[in-house]
Amino acid sequence: MRTYEQDAKTLESPWPFTGRADELELVRGASAAGRPGIVLTGPAGHGKTRLITEAVRGTDHARVTGTPEARELPLAAFAHLLPDTVSLPRAVRMLSGVRVLVVDDAQLLDETSAALVHQLAVHGRTRLVVAATDGVPAPAAVSRLWTGELLPRLALGPLSREDTAQLLAGAGLEPLTVGRLHRACRGDLRLLRDLVAALTGAGRLTPLPGTGERAWRGPLPVTPAVRERLAPALERSGPGGRDALERLAFAEPLPVPLDELEPDVLEPLEADGLIHVDDQGGVTLAHPLHGAALRAVAGTLRARRLARAVDAHGPALAAEQRTLVRRMEQFDVRPVPAPVGEWLVAEGVPLPAGYARVRARFARLRGELREAAAWAREGLRETPSDTGCRAELRLAEGQLPEGRPAGGGDPDDVHSVYAAVRLGAPERAAGRLPAGSVLARHADALARGDGAALDRAAEALAERGFLLYAAEARAQAVRAHRDPRAARLSRTRAVALARRCQGARTPALTGLVLGELTVRQRQIVALAAAGLSNREIAEKLTLSVRTVGNHLYSAYTRLGTGDRGALPWLVDAPERETA
């Protein structure tokens, strides 16, 4: 059948489709033959339309879209598929021949269109892929699709920090700016695109010397999209609530004590989800965008009256530093809130070198190498001679593709000893690592050549936040396993972990399993990993495009991945000293 489109939306984005691999497979599987379909729900801007577009690309399908202007017109959304006058039963019969029906913005359907979608789900002959936005009242016939269990429901969360970074890779932004945008937008990709365009257009992205990256420091640009997100909050808050929100905005990143604010003003704000009250009685804004937006639209005199002095953040910054140090001493580098340092960087306030050094080390141990380098540079901006920040920068860059090999030792003796395990020489660390620690368990498993134990050590490392260490343990397990199936599983998990480590290249990860491929497969995989398309590879090697595709398919099967984006972690790279 023909593919019909009816929508004023722009389905294509200037950015590539990124992440969502699991969700994409769920939608494709749910809309395959013999399946009833699926409902996707989530906040506006989370990419529901784009995900569905990718899932049904190349398939026969029809598409309808709800619009606010046509909510009172019966069957308005189906006007391009049905005659002008048609009864509901006849409409059901006419559309039962549609293989896949995409229903976008289902919360905006008129009641008759909603009833038609519901009847199509009941009869089960048409596979439905339905998208509905959270927080907007939907017709009962639409909400019953999932509450009545007619269709499975997929609640779409925001893109992860790693996927957001991949999405923004072409913008040349440094990691701290990517993190700031990720926190501010909370998964709203339309807002993210709007902010990046505004920052670029206004020349607010400053080049960072020696990095090829740009940074955003200073206030938030108040774009129409930002005003749109801010307006409902201000409208609901009222005059007294607006004053309280502004006070909280100018107190950021520190909370305001509960007893300094009026309870009768706070209670409605909390009910509307605009503020958060912590266990210690501190009050903060619930959405990170609101504080920046309120500060940006405040008048000069009001801003001066409400703003805190920069040195007021000193004790809180020191407390964050102590918490991070304590966590590292406990071999636990799972994410921990540290908003004060992030806020100071965002505002362009110089950071104490000691704090920056600790943040860099914490990020490096997590495998967030580009972020570690960025924190070290922040410390060097204020104190260029700080040896600790210089060492952290060297260690982080030594594991990045464009970095030089790391020299010197790790500032932490335990991790310096553990480097021998990462390099594949556990005998050099024998008896020198804390007994019973996750690092010692990794060393023991490697010394015994026990693939299953290496997998368990990797799980323990990842659970405590050591993502790069976990990736290396998985890679070592690949070589230790005798069962090819177990090796493939370890390889797949090693690649997934390595992809979260911001381009890390270490001896344990290089040339992971390319030895299993033929010479021609290795050649093609290396070119694909370098970014060449199948056609470009074919032209370079004087092969047909189909031959290139067949070789890649065979290579994917042996490598245990179907993801072209995973290939850079599987190709040979120059060996570097492990920090």
Side-chain angles (χ1 to χ4, degrees):
M1 92 168 252
R2 293 171 56 198
T3 295
Y4 294 91
E5 299 288 351
Q6 173 263 332
D7 191 7
K9 282 188 174 184
T10 300
L11 298 180
E12 297 298 332
S13 166
W15 289 343
F17 181 77
T18 301
R20 308 286 195 203
D22 293 340
E23 294 94 332
L24 187 62
E25 288 306 309
L26 280 173
V27 177
R28 283 175 173 165
S31 57
R35 302 292 181 87
I38 194 169
V39 176
L40 278 74
T41 62
H46 271 45
K48 299 183 293 297
T49 298
R50 186 68 189 280
L51 175 60
I52 290 174
T53 300
E54 292 296 323
V56 301
R57 189 182 299 280
T59 66
D60 289 338
H61 67 279
R63 180 186 294 270
V64 299
T65 303
T67 58
E69 296 80 8
R71 290 194 72 169
E72 304 305 319
L73 302 176
L75 294 178
F78 288 87
H80 61 301
L81 298 178
L82 298 172
D84 289 340
T85 56
V86 62
S87 66
L88 183 61
R90 186 181 174 210
V92 172
R93 289 195 298 272
M94 291 182 67
L95 293 175
S96 292
V98 175
R99 293 183 180 181
V100 177
L101 177 63
V102 174
V103 184
D104 203 2
D105 282 334
Q107 76 281 355
L108 299 177
L109 290 176
D110 62 89
E111 293 292 342
T112 309
S113 292
L116 174 55
V117 171
H118 187 271
Q119 286 300 306
L120 289 170
V122 169
H123 289 284
R125 289 190 290 270
T126 300
R127 300 190 291 279
L128 295 168
V129 182
V130 181
T133 299
D134 289 342
V136 180
V142 168
S143 60
R144 283 200 299 271
L145 291 174
W146 62 88
T147 59
E149 299 184 353
L150 286 171
L151 297 177
R153 179 187 184 187
L154 171 61
L156 200 63
L159 278 182
S160 68
R161 167 73 178 273
E162 292 84 4
D163 286 336
T164 301
Q166 184 181 348
L167 190 68
L168 294 171
L173 303 178
E174 55 96 33
L176 302 185
T177 294
V178 171
R180 184 182 182 187
L181 286 165
H182 177 73
R183 291 189 298 272
C185 296
R186 277 195 171 179
D188 188 333
L189 301 181
R190 294 177 302 181
L191 179 60
L192 180 66
R193 187 181 301 115
D194 182 73
L195 285 180
V196 172
L199 290 168
T200 302
R204 299 270 295 277
L205 295 172
T206 306
L208 294 177
T211 68
E213 297 175 333
R214 299 178 296 166
W216 168 32
R217 303 289 186 263
L220 178 84
V222 185
T223 66
V226 170
R227 292 185 186 278
E228 181 183 344
R229 290 294 299 269
L230 185 61
L234 299 183
E235 289 171 1
R236 295 197 306 268
S237 62
R242 169 72 179 253
D243 289 343
L245 292 176
E246 284 187 338
R247 182 172 178 186
L248 293 171
F250 279 94
E252 285 187 334
L254 305 179
V256 174
L258 189 59
D259 56 12
E260 293 184 11
L261 300 164
E262 296 294 330
D264 58 339
V265 172
L266 293 182
E267 288 173 6
L269 296 178
E270 185 180 30
D272 283 339
L274 296 175
I275 64 171
H276 172 71
V277 182
D278 62 31
D279 295 338
Q280 289 73 45
V283 185
T284 55
L285 293 172
H287 197 296
L289 178 69
H290 289 167
L294 285 166
R295 290 192 297 273
V297 300
T300 302
L301 295 178
R302 188 165 183 80
R304 287 181 177 178
R305 181 170 64 83
L306 293 175
R308 292 190 180 188
V310 172
D311 57 10
H313 302 98
L317 194 68
E320 283 186 359
Q321 182 173 337
R322 289 193 297 271
T323 297
L324 293 169
V325 169
R326 182 170 62 253
R327 292 285 293 273
M328 287 187 287
E329 290 172 345
Q330 296 168 346
F331 300 108
D332 185 351
V333 291
R334 286 172 290 184
V336 59
V340 180
E342 292 161 1
W343 186 88
L344 292 174
V345 167
E347 294 298 309
V349 178
L351 280 183
Y355 178 88
R357 180 169 62 249
V358 168
R359 286 299 296 259
R361 183 171 159 214
F362 194 86
R364 177 171 57 82
L365 292 178
R366 284 184 47 76
E368 296 167 343
L369 302 182
R370 295 188 185 278
E371 185 160 340
W375 281 110
R377 291 190 193 101
E378 284 298 317
L380 292 171
R381 184 161 69 93
E382 176 67 5
T383 314
S385 61
D386 186 79
T387 57
C389 285
R390 287 192 175 280
E392 286 297 337
L393 182 60
R394 184 172 64 249
L395 289 165
E397 288 185 335
Q399 296 176 67
L400 291 171
E402 71 277 13
R404 57 191 181 280
D410 193 301
D412 186 320
D413 288 341
V414 171
H415 290 276
S416 183
V417 170
Y418 179 66
V421 181
R422 299 173 62 197
L423 288 167
E427 66 281 358
R428 288 163 45 192
R432 302 173 61 194
L433 294 171
S437 68
V438 289
L439 308 185
R441 289 162 59 186
H442 180 190
D444 178 66
L446 183 60
R448 292 185 286 111
D450 188 331
L454 281 166
D455 283 332
R456 291 193 295 272
E459 289 176 4
L461 287 163
E463 183 180 342
R464 286 183 164 259
F466 294 104
L467 301 184
L468 181 55
Y469 294 175
E472 292 172 327
R474 289 284 189 190
Q476 291 167 342
V478 172
R479 302 176 179 95
H481 279 302
R482 296 183 179 180
D483 181 351
R485 292 173 298 177
R488 283 194 294 271
L489 181 59
S490 295
R491 179 192 312 120
T492 300
R493 292 177 175 172
V495 169
L497 286 163
R499 293 191 70 183
R500 299 172 62 186
C501 294
Q502 302 181 352
R505 296 291 194 276
T506 68
L509 298 179
T510 57
L512 192 55
V513 286
L514 289 186
E516 297 183 10
L517 305 182
T518 66
V519 173
R520 178 63 86 185
Q521 286 171 346
R522 287 200 298 272
Q523 190 178 26
I524 290 174
V525 165
L527 292 172
L532 274 67
S533 68
N534 285 14
R535 183 168 298 279
E536 290 169 331
I537 296 171
E539 292 173 355
K540 188 177 184 68
L541 301 180
T542 319
L543 299 171
S544 71
V545 175
R546 174 171 292 184
T547 298
V548 170
N550 289 339
H551 276 303
L552 277 175
Y553 179 80
S554 298
Y556 286 147
T557 301
R558 293 194 183 189
L559 298 176
T561 180
D563 184 358
R564 198 182 191 98
L567 294 180
W569 279 272
L570 298 174
V571 300
D572 287 319
E575 288 199 0
R576 305 176 188 279
E577 180 180 346
T578 298

